[in-house]
Amino acid sequence: MTPGRRSSTFTRLLRHGFTDASAAERLLDSAELAAVRDDPVLLEALGATADPDLALHGLVRLLEAQPGPTARRELLDTLIAAKPLRDRLLGVLGASAALADHLARHPRDWEALVTYEPRDLHPGVAEFERGLAEATDPVSLRVAYRRCLLSIAARDVCGTTDVAETAAELADLATATLRAALALAEAAAPGDAAACRLAVIAMGKCGGHELNYVSDVDVIFVGEAAEGADEAKALRSATKLASHMMRICSETTVEGSIWPVDANLRPEGRNGPLVRTLSSHLAYYQRWAKTWEFQALLKARPVAGDLDLGAEYVAALEPLVWKAAERDNFVADVQKMRRRVVENIPAAEIDRELKLGPGGLRDVEFAVQLLQLVHGRADASLRSGTTLDALQALAGGGYVGRADALQLDDAYRFLRSMEHRIQLYRLRRTHLVPEDEADLRRLGRSLGLRTEPVTELTREWKRHAGVVRRLHEKLFYRPLLDAVAQLAPGETRLSTEAARERLEALGYTDPAAALRHLEALASGVTRKAAIQRTLLPVLLGWFADSADPDAGLLNFRKVSDALGKTPWYLRLLRDEGAAAENLARVLSAGRLTPDLLMRAPEAVALLGDGDGGGLEPRGRGPLEQEILAAIGRADTAEDGVRAARGVRRRELFRTAAADIVDSYGTEANPAEADQGALVDRVGAAVSDLTAATLAGTLRAVVRDGWGDTLPTRFAMIGMGRFGGHELGYGSDADVIFVHEPQDGVDEREATDAANKVVAEMRRLLQVPSADPPLLIDTDLRPEGKSGPLVRTLKSYQAYYRRWSLVWESQALLRAEPVAGDTELGRRFIELIDPLRYPAEGLGEDAVREIRRLKARMESERLPRGADPKLHTKLGPGGLSDVEWTVQLLQLRHGWARPELRTTRTRQALAAAEAVGLLGAEEAATLDEAWVLATRVRNAVMLVRGRAGDTFPSESRQLAAVGRYLGYGDGHAGDMLDAYRRTARRARAVVEELFYGT
């Protein structure tokens, strides 16, 4: 061959899409292609394939495998003369190395591609049964199966059939194969065949008439005794036949396997019997089946064996399938199943997962099936097992917007085409997009992307996946808006009844009211209504993810009515994805945050800031600075404290909103796993806010009554949870007041002034207004309610020296200055340190007294009728148990261990463990119980809008507490069990450490 000719051929090969032109030249120069090497028709045809190099290599192997020169010549002559064969054969060879291997092993099977009759274009089960008819054993069945598969692949790669038709043909071939395999099993055991009736029900993609090239074929078996036969023996015979049929298809032979037959969708899965009677199936689905099992039955289709029995099975179970949407937590169960699938994908594969990943095939299938189950109850036209047919029916009935359905149809077809071509190459079961450049190039070219195959393929794949990601959940919600909106002529509206069904399925208990809210928000032609129509499909989904969707939607309408005319509100929700999702969570999590927000709806702005920075709690310094500045601008104490309470309300909303968002998690950020961190953040934020509010109120009262200087130095000492930086949303401010007359001021005058300050502070902080009151609780002062409200430092000193009781020393463990004169506060702490950390620790009499007080409190203070095991404060293993145990350790050892000298329970517990006063396991048990009890109390306040120490009895409120704590719908019982278990373990530790038993 001359260099010039080589150069010319080399260039032509590159132009026709070959990547290894040198190897291609050698193959074209081989003896097998000598007769046609210069035929331009061959080169054009090779260049039209997905992988010209692969096609040429496969053709040479096929020619080499021919039994002789005559057969080789026949193949070449037919190839050059008959375009249909040329396109089919080379198309298959360029797309599938596995089918090229089959042709090399069975060199005359190329003849199956020669016929081009009209009936050959779309064969059905009967044609495939004829193609498999001569199979007499598992090996010959595999050969015949591959021959039929060859013709399906040829029509696919040439575009004779589209992706849906190809999937249907693959399902029909699977049906014919199951029938042939069952016939072989029956022939091997005629006695078993005579003893029973056995029906094979196809499930999954085979049942849905949308099978892949390589997929498990999901089946369920139904068996009955033949007339006159014993049922138990008949079921054993049916089980033998079913098992043998599965092995015939699944086992590896010299011709490989066909595909695994998977019967795990049967009742009880792999733990249940392989074959059941119809009555046994029916009993299981009536009593035990889970939501996903009814979803799976959407695709049930009798395919082999006793087809009459199969039809009876489908007819018996069909009514149950269409009642599945009436089950509690139906939508939540389906969506949870979808999320679980995504969570189980290895992180390294999720971006390449074509089927199960976000924006993948399963998203479309789940969305369509969800809608079918909701609306198929009343509309039999929706009851198709085929995804694309069902999607078309949903669009035709107005259950899905036509434009959305068209986009999803297009995306699904493209993604399924990718899946088919990926599997066709090696005939291996995979849903991962390849990473190798050559594989991506072949895949892109097989889909008609020829200019820049890899770049175009990646772009189209990501575009279609993005469409699915964007639409698959909105698909469920958007038609609800169309039901109340003005539609373009020709558009089909979701009926009011269908909208009601869908809202009920989502968990709305008053769908009529929900529809009214949607109409008020989204109807009309204004820009505001248009933005709402964009936002609401997503918001409805987030509301449905809560325990009270009705409240979420109602609250959203209230906020929108209040802020509808402000230019920034809807723009914030539309343009900052975090803001809309955060608002949905906050509005549907309970009563507290909506109540706080409704009093000043402009606080919605805090929910934006993209990365969540708007919800970061502010420290005490900035808060106090803002409150003092507002008081400085006010004309009166009333005005100043009103401003301070407004800041407090806004900051309570910020703290609660951040807590809810962190507890629920968002699409971008999972829920906070560290429950202790959540508790600490709330406790610190609310305590700082309370201290700043008290400091500002003190400034306002003093300025209004005495100008710049009060006649006595005055300090507030935080006690209890306030001093421990552990306040919850519903906590009062536990404080005691200490004062010291200014130089030259009479003590009585100073005491009167201090009492007036306290009285006025308490009044102003409780004046009825739109802002929540801040109650000051002084019951922990010396002598309790019987003692004076304020004392001088000297009076405290005298009292503690002469009269102090052990419970007061215990209460002082949490004492910390929070407002007022800093120096006076410091001196008060110096005064009480010897009391709360007594030298040499507590004596045994004092320890016995503390134990006696604790036992009396447990028996006397628990509310009548309350379940002690679920009382978070006074119940066994509750807050009191943990705190008294920790405080006893502090009283006994604080004098010698400075690490224990903290007002914070968790810090003291960690310090006690660090110095060896209790073991790591004991400390972890107490910490877990304390954190959980605190979280429950916070949840109760968020959900009910009022404080409480026990779980709510109303089911929706209980579910909302569970949602806050990380439990899904229907798992409130699990939450209560977990609380009891945690508290029980903590109580065992308390019995040992506190009571010494």
Side-chain angles (χ1 to χ4, degrees), residues 119-137:
R119 71 169 181 267
D120 177 55
L121 296 181
H122 302 293
V125 176
E127 286 77 16
F128 289 125
E129 284 189 290
R130 282 196 293 273
L132 302 176
E134 295 180 6
T136 57
D137 56 44

Side-chain angles (χ1 to χ4, degrees), residues 301-354:
R301 180 171 65 95
V303 291
D306 190 319
L307 295 181
D308 289 337
L309 177 58
E312 290 176 42
Y313 170 88
V314 171
L317 291 182
E318 191 174 42
L320 300 180
V321 173
W322 302 113
K323 289 181 180 177
E326 299 170 9
R327 296 162 67 93
D328 291 340
N329 308 313
F330 162 70
V331 172
D333 284 348
V334 176
Q335 292 175 332
K336 189 187 304 174
M337 177 67 72
R338 175 68 190 114
R339 283 194 293 269
R340 192 177 302 144
V341 169
V342 174
E343 288 165 3
N344 289 334
I345 301 172
E349 295 180 359
I350 194 165
D351 291 335
R352 297 192 294 126
E353 179 52 78
L354 196 61

